């Protein structure tokens, strides 16, 4: 089987009769014959029309050029326009090759003209179009001659028409030119006849190929299909001509714009379209997807001009209904806003473990993205960290957060007030269930008004129209309420309730965590405060001041102590337990109690730290402790004993920072005390150093939180401490303030360890309040020493204490002579107590016991214990000292040195 290409073969034979191409060829042949008959007339007319058109174009070009020249506008606005315009008009007439150029004012009066006699006369014709700003050409009939002329407006700098320029060619000139062209027109007509015949054949042949040999019926059917498709599409199509008349409008355009049935052929302005759409179609300006509202529809409008060579012949506009798309986009935008709101809430709510701050963060997140005003009310027990009551309706609430996007233009109660609780409970079979309250129209609702009718009226007067109140609930317990108010935004919708509940639920969990932390933190702080000294004990050895700064968590393991010791001495202690929290505070209390107990044994610093180290090791090795319990190993302590009778200070430290010393002469130093290992790590004995402190020296003891920061070297921080001590001449309180002022500013939030600072200014016991005797190892020496002691007590005005002191001294000296080793020394100290000390070289420890009725001895220490307020023994490298303290009256006590 042989395939034939369409348009050839059988269709080629139908070319002359049935195809569109054949019918076109017959029509063209007929036209060619008619052209032979009418050639001369048509060519002559065309030549004349060409001459007229040429005259129009040259006239328009000349008139438009002269009107656009700045000198023309300037001449029209000058005092003598004719003098400046006449030469220009004559020159333009000559250069443009036309018959005349004239400049007119707005009244049509000639200001320049080739015929000077016509200057000053009014030109004939209607110039309304030119005065309206339009340049045009016309065939003029009238005085002085019939002509083809162009009229162009002259504009000033503001675009206002201030005059007219007319230029043209006389019709007699056009006719003369036609007469010269008629011979050539005849030749052209003959040639055109031949070419038309040949061209008709070529066009018909090409048309036959393009129409594929289709006949008229088939072409008609094709256009019917095209028309059906045009009116079936879901996009409106409008075709407008140059005069802005409607040429074509499909069915969708009629539906979208509500066009009348006979809209075709009417001017756009007569269709009474929506203002913005009508303006767009009337202007003819290009537009791409411009959105315009037409009734309840949102239309995307596109418009393009039609025409060739930059000449507009009309425009085509398409209309697309995007209403459903807008609704979908709006729903997507609302969903995105809600997701963004919840995302922001997850980042910004619950950044601190503070109940009130968490409520404030909820208000900050919700205003203004979700509501115009947000208030948060919490139950009183929740604010204080306690468990809330089972029934929230019976508890008082306090407003803890209020944020407004409308300024103060609201009548809601301020922060700190106690608003009434709105109804948030619904009756159910099992009792009352707390739920959210949604009021989309406050003016129509009644329940919320019943709580505070007067304030409710003011809320309505302020313009608020909708409200969502959500109970703040976690673990089945209500902590408070959050209220979301809208005034300037659109009213709340039912789907907004879930967003509000999600926000409040997240906040409730954070509030619950903060409440629990506040309760536990309060317990830990209370425990820590109870374990720290509430004040410094009375003693005359040093003038002391302290500062305690808690860690960022508020609970740490730093501690300090000032412990009076026998012999007018004092123990200064500063310690640091590793970690923070309740366990650190409890461990600190255990260590502080242990130090007090060991100090009562009057142990030297190195022995006391050794006992403390053993205690820490036993605590960490206690099998009853759970695996989650933190160890104490690593705790540090600095223990110092200062003796005001000699000015000597014994120091020992276990892994603790060294103390600083500021001498009275202004020099400062960091004491080079042996470092030793922290408690619980030592396997070697602790070392002690002894320094002699001048009276008025300031000994500074501190924990590592004062000098250790991440941004500075430790040596640099110690230099800063020494510099701060140099700036203060005396006074423990002033020294504490200066040290903190110098060292605290460099600390950041990451460096917020707790700080214990203890400053002790040394004093010396006056020599007049100290008496000392060497006692021979002879029982007969007891009486003379005893007599000397009584004489000294009388000199001090302690006659009332002399008898008791005599008995105690007699027993102590006798025991030293009998059981001790020489040399034997007796010393009396008059400070806050009357202290009697007897020292010898023996290390035998006296023991208190109750003698039976048949025993000859054993009653001496018992007698001393009964007569003295305190008594004891301390051991030194030279032996031991037995001491006893007797109370003094207020007027007998030696006042401390200032």
């Amino acid at each position: 089987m042989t395939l034939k290409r369409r348009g050839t073969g059988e269709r080629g034979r139908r070319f002359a009769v049935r195809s569109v191409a054949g019918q076109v060829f017959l029509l063209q042949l007929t036209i060619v014959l008619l052209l032979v008959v009418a050639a001369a007339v048509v060519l002559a007319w065309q030549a004349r029309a060409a001459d007229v058109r040429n005259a129009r174009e040259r006239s328009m070009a000349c008139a438009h050029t002269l009107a656009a020249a700045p000198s023309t506008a300037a001449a029209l606005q000058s005092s003598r326009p004719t003098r400046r315009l006449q030469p220009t008009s004559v020159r333009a007439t000559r250069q443009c090759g036309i018959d005349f150029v004239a400049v007119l004012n707005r009244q049509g009066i000639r200001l320049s003209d080739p015929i000077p006699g016509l200057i000053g006369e009014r030109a004939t014709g209607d110039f309304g179009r030119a005065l309206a700003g339009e340049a045009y050409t016309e065939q003029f009939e009238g005085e002085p001659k019939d002509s083809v002329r162009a009229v162009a407006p002259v504009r000033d700098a503001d675009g206002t028409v201030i005059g007219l320029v007319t230029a043209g060619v006389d019709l007699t000139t056009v006719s003369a030119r036609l007469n010269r062209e008629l011979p050539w027109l005849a030749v052209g007509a003959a040639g055109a006849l031949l070419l038309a015949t040949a061209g008709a054949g070529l066009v018909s042949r090409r048309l036959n190929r393009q129409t594929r040999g289709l006949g008229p019926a088939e072409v008609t059917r094709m256009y019917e299909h095209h028309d059906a498709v045009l009116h079936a599409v879901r996009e409106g199509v409008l075709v407008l001509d140059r005069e802005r008349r409607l040429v074509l409008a499909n069915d969708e355009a009629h539906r979208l714009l509500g066009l009348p049935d006979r809209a075709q052929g009417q001017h756009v302005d007569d269709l009474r379209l929506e203002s913005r759409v009508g303006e767009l179609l009337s202007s003819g300006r290009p537009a791409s997807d411009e959105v315009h509202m037409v009734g309840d529809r949102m239309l995307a409008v596109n418009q393009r001009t039609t025409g060739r060579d930059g000449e507009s012949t009309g425009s085509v506009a398409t209309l697309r209904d995007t209403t459903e798309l807008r609704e979908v986009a709006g729903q997507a935008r609302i969903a995105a806003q809600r997701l963004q709101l919840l995302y922001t809430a997850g980042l910004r709510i619950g950044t601190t473990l503070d109940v009130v701050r968490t409520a404030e963060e909820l208000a900050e997140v919700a205003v203004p993205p979700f509501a115009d005003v947000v208030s948060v009310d919490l139950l009183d027990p929740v604010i204080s960290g306690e468990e809330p009551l089972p029934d929230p309706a019976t508890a008082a609430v306090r407003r803890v957060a209020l944020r407004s996007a409308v300024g103060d233009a609201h009548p809601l109660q301020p922060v700190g007030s106690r608003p009434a609780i709105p109804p948030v409970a619904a009756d159910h079979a099992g009792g009352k269930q707390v739920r959210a309250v949604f009021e989309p129209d406050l003016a129509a609702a009644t329940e919320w008004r019943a709580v505070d009718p007067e304030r409710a009226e003011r809320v309505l007067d302020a313009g608020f129209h909708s409200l969502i109140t959500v109970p703040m609930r976690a673990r089945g317990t209500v902590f408070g309420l959050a209220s979301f108010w809208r005034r300037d935004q659109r009213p709340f919708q039912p789907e907004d309730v879930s967003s509000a509940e999600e926000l409040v639920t997240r906040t409730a969990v954070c509030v619950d965590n903060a409440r629990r932390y506040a309760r536990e933190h309060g317990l830990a702080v209370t425990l820590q405060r109870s374990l720290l000294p509430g004040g410094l004990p009375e003693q005359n050895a040093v003038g002391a001041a302290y500062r305690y700064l808690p860690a960022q968590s508020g609970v740490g393991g730093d501690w300090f102590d000032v412990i009076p010791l026998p012999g007018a001495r004092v123990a200064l202690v500063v310690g640091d337990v590793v970690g923070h929290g309740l366990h650190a505070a409890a461990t600190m209390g255990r260590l502080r109690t242990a130090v007090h107990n060991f100090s009562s044994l009057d142990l030297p610093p190195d022995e006391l730290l050794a006992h403390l180290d053993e205690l820490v090791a036993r605590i960490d090795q206690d099998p009853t402790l759970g695996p989650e319990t933190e160890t104490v190993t690593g705790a540090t302590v600095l223990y110092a004993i200062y003796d005001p009778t000699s000015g000597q200070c014994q120091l020992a430290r276990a892994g603790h920072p060294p103390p600083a010393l500021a001498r009275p002469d202004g020099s400062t130093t960091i004491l080079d005390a042996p470092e030793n290992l922290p408690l619980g790590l030592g396997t070697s004995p602790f070392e002690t150093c002894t320094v002699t402190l001048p009276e008025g020296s300031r000994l500074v003891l501190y924990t590592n939180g004062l000098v250790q920061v991440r941004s500075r070297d430790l040596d640099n921080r110690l230099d800063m401490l020494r510099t701060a001590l140099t700036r203060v001449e005396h006074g423990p309180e002033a020294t504490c303030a200066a040290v903190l002022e110098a060292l605290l500013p460099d600390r950041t939030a990451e460096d917020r360890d707790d700080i214990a600072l203890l400053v002790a200014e040394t004093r010396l016991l006056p020599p007049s309040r100290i008496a000392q005797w060497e006692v021979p190892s002879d029982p007969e020496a007891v009486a003379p020493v005893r007599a000397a002691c009584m004489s000294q007590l009388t000199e001090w005005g302690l006659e009332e204490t002399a008898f008791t002191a005599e008995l105690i001294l007699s027993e102590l000296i006798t025991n030293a002579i009998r059981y001790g080793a020489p040399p034997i020394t007796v010393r009396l100290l008059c400070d806050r107590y009357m202290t009697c000390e007897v020292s010898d070289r023996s290390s035998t420890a006296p023991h208190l016991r109750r003698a039976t009725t048949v025993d000859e001895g054993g009653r001496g220490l018992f007698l001393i214990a009964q007569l003295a307020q305190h008594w004891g023994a301390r051991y030194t490298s030279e032996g031991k000292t037995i001491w006893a303290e007797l109370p003094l009256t207020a007027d007998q006590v030696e006042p401390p040195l200032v």
Side-chain angles (χ1 to χ4, degrees), residues 659-716:
L661 177 64
R663 297 184 177 87
D665 60 2
S667 63
T668 60
T669 185
I670 303 297
L671 295 180
D672 188 17
E675 184 173 0
N676 301 313
L677 293 175
L679 298 178
L681 300 175
T683 56
S684 58
F686 291 91
E687 298 182 35
T688 303
C689 73
T690 302
V691 293
T692 301
L693 306 180
E695 186 176 13
S697 299
R698 284 166 291 143
L699 188 63
V700 180
L701 290 74
Y702 52 88
T703 55
N704 60 357
L706 180 69
V707 294
Q708 288 185 352
V709 297
R710 301 188 180 186
S711 59
R712 294 283 188 111
D713 183 74
L714 179 59
D715 292 338
N716 179 263

Side-chain angles (χ1 to χ4, degrees), residues 61-413:
C62 185
H64 188 271
T65 300
L66 187 59
S71 59
T72 304
L76 283 170
Q77 294 174 334
S78 65
S79 58
R80 302 181 66 181
T82 301
R83 182 175 181 180
R84 298 177 61 177
L85 292 172
Q86 182 64 14
T88 303
S89 301
V90 173
R91 186 167 58 255
T93 302
R94 182 173 58 256
Q95 292 177 352
C96 293
I98 57 179
D99 293 332
F100 65 90
V101 174
V103 181
L104 316 178
N105 60 13
R106 287 185 58 86
Q107 290 73 33
I109 305 300
R110 290 185 175 91
L111 301 179
S112 69
D113 198 272
I115 304 175
L118 296 178
I119 296 175
E121 294 185 5
R122 190 181 188 286
T124 307
D126 182 15
F127 300 101
R129 293 168 60 190
L131 292 175
E134 180 182 356
Y136 62 92
T137 60
E138 63 180 0
Q139 188 167 336
F140 171 72
E141 295 180 0
E143 295 296 335
K145 292 182 179 180
D146 296 343
S147 61
V148 175
R149 71 179 182 184
V151 182
V154 180
R155 303 176 184 272
D156 61 3
D158 298 330
T160 305
V161 177
I162 60 174
L164 307 173
V165 175
T166 63
V169 178
D170 296 340
L171 289 181
T172 56
T173 303
V174 175
S175 299
R177 183 175 299 174
L178 178 62
N179 293 334
R180 293 193 299 270
E181 294 175 353
L182 282 178
W184 294 102
L185 290 177
V187 175
L193 179 61
L194 295 176
L195 291 175
T197 303
L202 293 175
V203 169
S204 297
R205 184 176 181 84
R206 184 168 184 175
L207 180 62
N208 185 63
R209 289 198 303 268
Q210 292 179 345
T211 59
R212 298 181 180 273
L214 296 176
E218 294 169 321
V219 172
T220 300
R221 186 166 58 254
M222 182 183 65
Y223 277 103
E224 289 176 349
H225 294 167
H226 175 270
D227 188 63
V229 171
L230 177 66
H231 291 283
V233 295
R234 292 294 304 275
E235 187 166 324
V237 179
L238 297 175
V239 180
L240 305 174
D241 62 11
R242 180 184 299 175
E243 303 300 329
R244 317 313 299 160
R245 290 186 177 87
L246 183 62
V247 177
L248 174 65
N250 65 353
D251 296 341
E252 186 68 5
H254 277 269
R255 184 183 71 85
L256 295 177
L257 297 178
L259 298 177
D261 295 336
R262 299 182 180 180
Q264 190 167 337
Q266 296 187 30
H267 195 276
V268 171
D269 296 339
D270 298 334
L271 298 178
R272 298 179 179 179
L273 302 176
E274 293 285 343
S275 58
R276 292 185 61 190
V277 175
E279 292 174 0
L280 174 61
L281 297 178
S282 180
S283 66
R285 63 177 175 82
S288 298
D289 287 332
E290 287 192 10
V291 178
H292 297 277
M293 293 300 300
V294 178
D296 57 349
R297 294 188 179 94
M298 185 173 66
L299 304 182
V301 183
N302 294 273
Q303 183 165 258
R304 297 289 184 272
T305 57
T306 58
R308 295 182 179 179
D309 301 329
E311 182 179 0
S312 174
T313 60
S315 63
V316 177
T318 61
L319 312 169
R320 186 171 66 256
D321 189 356
T322 62
T323 305
E324 296 180 356
L325 181 62
R326 179 189 63 176
E327 294 177 356
V328 173
Q331 294 174 358
R333 184 176 62 256
I334 292 174
Q337 291 174 349
R338 289 175 180 166
L339 290 176
Q340 180 63 36
L341 178 65
L342 296 178
Y343 174 74
T344 304
L347 293 179
R348 296 179 53 187
I349 296 178
T351 59
T352 64
L353 289 173
D354 182 84
V355 173
V356 175
R357 180 56 191 154
T358 302
E360 292 173 348
E361 289 170 343
L362 168 62
E364 292 171 0
V365 167
V367 176
F370 186 70
D372 294 318
V373 178
V374 172
S375 62
V376 181
D377 307 321
L378 296 180
L379 303 178
D380 284 345
V382 175
I383 300 174
S384 59
E386 302 173 4
E387 286 290 341
L389 299 176
D391 186 3
T394 62
V397 299
R398 179 156 57 92
R399 181 148 295 168
V400 296
L402 178 65
R403 190 171 182 88
S404 170
V406 297
D408 296 332
H410 65 82
L412 301 182
Q413 292 174 264

